[in-house]
């Protein structure tokens, strides 16, 4: 979708200085109206002005949510948790839009939310690069955008609230490398490398393997976060090659299909039995935790869904209030870093084994 190129003429758009524009500047039209300064600001604000009445519903500020897909337990749980915590925090949460994996539709969804004059938008991008025009449409309207789990690689994002996916990939490497004794062959079922999460998980895993376990051969196969592609790749590789380990970039998407393939091949066996193939995944869905209990899955790096929602809602409130952030440590045990020209709060993700699989704070236990 084409976005107008004359954005520098609007005071609601980030100047072309390469610097991050504070949320107060993005929302200046809304605040200027409240302070009675519209004459001083001039008519140039008219194109991006959003009145308090139109952006606020009976439950508070009206907030949109654009999701890439709603076809797996992780994303459904994430969206539900953000929705419920947003409503509990006083937001008028609008129904989540579902792009069904179509970036073009997601850009349309973003533009629709802009025309609905929401006060802010939560975003889970389908494609971190391709979604940028949708982000820029919100920027032009002075609407703050907070991404959760998956970052956008451009536009003006108030905060990318996500886990350190490079660190998650490295955690998988450490768990899997140790499980197979630093030798052998590992099948890596990648996510979509066009998303920040998919690319970062692969980078963390591959870099760690090269540095710590050079004796491990990696067979990498892309899946685009699609269960059928993961199952097909597993069928092709596991039926023709002896592997010692498998890395699932997302158990929410891949576990069911891959385990079905392994069962059919007689290769889905618990740890301690001859022929056991060590498996480590990322996400921490209920079925993945169940597989840890029975021994078929060696470890999982669990995503901090509750913290995504808690701090995502907090950042949205701060964006609307005009608060600014900088790179550095947070008060909740994470680090804010610069990521693709924006800020990202990198939350820690626990490694789950039999020792801590029954932890009640794990989202997979809450959702089972």
């Amino acid at each position: 979708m084409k976005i107008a190129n004359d954005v520098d003429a609007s005071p609601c758009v980030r100047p072309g200085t390469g610097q991050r524009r504070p949320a107060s500047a993005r929302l200046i039209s809304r605040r200027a109206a409240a302070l009675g300064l519209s004459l001083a600001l001039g008519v140039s604000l008219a194109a991006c002005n959003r009145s308090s009445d139109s952006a606020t519903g009976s439950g508070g500020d009206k907030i949109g949510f654009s999701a890439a897909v709603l076809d797996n337990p992780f994303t459904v749980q994430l969206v539900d948790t953000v929705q419920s915590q947003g409503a509990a925090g006083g937001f008028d949460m609008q129904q989540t839009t579902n792009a069904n994996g179509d970036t073009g539709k997601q850009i349309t969804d973003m533009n629709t939310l802009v025309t609905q004059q929401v006060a802010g938008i939560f975003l889970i991008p389908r494609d971190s690069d391709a979604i940028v025009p949708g982000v820029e449409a919100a920027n032009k309207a002075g609407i703050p955008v907070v991404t959760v789990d998956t970052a956008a690689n451009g536009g003006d994002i108030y905060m990318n609230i996500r886990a350190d996916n490079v660190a998650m990939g490295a955690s998988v490497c450490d768990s899997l490398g140790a499980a197979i004794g630093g030798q052998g062959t590992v099948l890596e079922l990648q996510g979509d490398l066009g998303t920040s999460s998919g690319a970062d998980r692969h980078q963390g895993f591959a870099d760690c393997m090269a540095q710590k376990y050079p004796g491990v051969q990696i067979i990498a196969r892309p899946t685009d976060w699609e269960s059928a592609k993961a199952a097909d790749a597993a069928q092709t590789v596991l039926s023709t090659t002896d592997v010692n380990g498998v890395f699932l970039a997302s158990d929410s998407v891949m576990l069911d299909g891959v385990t079905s393939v392994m069962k059919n091949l007689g290769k889905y066996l618990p740890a301690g039995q001859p022929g056991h193939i060590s498996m480590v995944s990322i996400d921490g869905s209920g079925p993945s935790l169940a597989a840890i209990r029975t021994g078929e899955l060696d470890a999982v790096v669990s995503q901090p869904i509750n913290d995504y929602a808690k701090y995502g809602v907090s950042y949205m409130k701060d964006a609307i209030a005009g608060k600014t952030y900088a790179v550095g440590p947070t008060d909740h045990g994470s680090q804010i870093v610069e990521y693709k020209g924006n800020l990202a709060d990198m939350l820690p993700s626990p490694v789950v084994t039999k020792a801590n699989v029954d932890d009640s704070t794990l989202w997979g236990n809450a959702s089972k």
Side-chain angles (χ1 to χ4, degrees):
M1 180 167 294
K2 188 174 182 180
I3 302 297
N5 293 321
D6 58 348
V7 292
D8 288 340
S10 169
C12 289
V13 178
R14 176 175 52 183
T17 61
Q19 297 180 344
R20 174 177 171 79
R21 191 162 56 90
S24 56
R26 292 198 299 270
L27 300 172
I28 189 171
S29 63
R30 188 162 171 259
R31 302 191 178 285
L35 293 171
L37 297 178
S38 57
L39 291 177
L41 291 170
V43 295
S44 60
L45 288 173
C48 59
N49 184 53
R50 295 180 294 113
S51 70
S52 296
D53 290 340
S54 62
T56 305
S58 59
D61 284 313
K62 186 165 67 175
I63 304 298
F65 199 145
S66 171
V69 294
L70 289 173
D71 63 356
N72 65 80
F74 167 76
T75 304
V76 170
Q77 183 76 10
L78 173 58
V79 168
D80 286 349
T81 307
V82 173
Q83 284 276 3
S84 61
Q85 292 202 23
F91 286 143
D92 178 13
M93 298 296 296
Q94 303 300 290
Q95 183 175 355
T96 302
T97 62
N98 179 9
N100 288 311
D102 184 337
T103 299
K105 182 180 184 304
Q106 188 165 37
I107 293 173
T108 299
D109 291 343
M110 291 284 288
N111 278 282
T112 299
L113 291 172
V114 169
T115 63
Q116 292 172 350
Q117 298 182 326
V118 296
I121 297 174
F122 287 112
L123 171 64
I124 306 175
R126 176 64 181 90
D127 185 298
S128 297
D129 291 315
I131 195 58
V132 170
V135 174
E136 290 175 339
N139 296 159
K140 189 173 182 180
I143 300 172
V145 178
V146 173
T147 67
V148 284
D149 177 43
T150 302
N153 289 346
D156 190 358
I157 303 296
Y158 180 80
M159 187 67 72
N160 292 299
I161 179 73
R162 59 195 301 257
D164 186 339
N165 283 261
V166 173
M168 286 199 291
S171 293
V172 172
C173 159
D174 286 332
S175 297
L176 199 53
I180 64 175
Q183 298 291 327
T185 301
V186 168
L187 170 60
E188 177 195 3
L189 294 173
Q190 303 168 332
D192 185 345
L193 299 186
T195 64
S196 60
S197 298
D200 288 353
R201 291 174 195 183
H202 165 68
Q203 178 189 336
F205 177 74
D207 288 352
C208 169
M209 277 291 182
Q211 294 168 8
K212 295 184 177 181
Y213 303 104
V216 174
Q217 177 186 358
I218 298 173
I219 301 173
R221 295 291 184 267
T223 72
D224 299 324
W225 303 126
E226 294 182 21
S227 179
K229 289 184 178 180
D232 287 346
Q235 177 69 41
T236 299
V237 174
L238 296 178
S239 62
T240 59
T241 308
D242 289 330
V243 303
N244 307 94
V246 176
F247 165 30
L248 305 179
S250 168
D251 53 67
S252 293
V253 174
M254 304 175 188
L255 185 62
D256 285 349
V258 172
T259 54
S260 293
V261 167
M262 294 178 71
K263 287 177 181 178
N264 290 336
L265 294 174
K267 296 185 176 183
Y268 191 64
L269 302 168
Q273 287 194 15
H276 169 68
I277 296 176
S278 297
M279 284 206 298
V280 181
S281 69
I282 292 175
D283 272 353
S285 63
S288 76
L289 301 186
I292 286 179
R293 293 184 180 96
T294 56
E296 285 90 359
L297 198 63
D298 293 58
V300 61
V301 183
S302 180
Q303 298 230 52
I305 283 184
N306 291 334
D307 285 347
Y308 285 158
K310 177 180 178 179
Y311 298 114
V313 169
S314 178
Y315 281 125
M316 185 63 78
K317 289 183 177 180
D318 289 343
I320 293 171
K323 182 176 179 178
T324 60
Y325 283 90
V327 169
T330 69
D331 60 1
H332 49 266
S334 62
Q335 287 282 333
I336 294 177
V337 302
E338 183 174 346
Y339 186 88
K340 305 288 186 179
N342 286 297
L343 296 179
D345 187 349
M346 298 293 205
L347 301 175
S349 300
V351 177
V352 181
T353 64
K354 280 190 174 183
N356 61 339
V357 69
D358 293 322
D359 185 340
S360 62
T361 66
L362 298 173
W363 74 269
N365 284 328
S367 66
K368 67 180 181 180

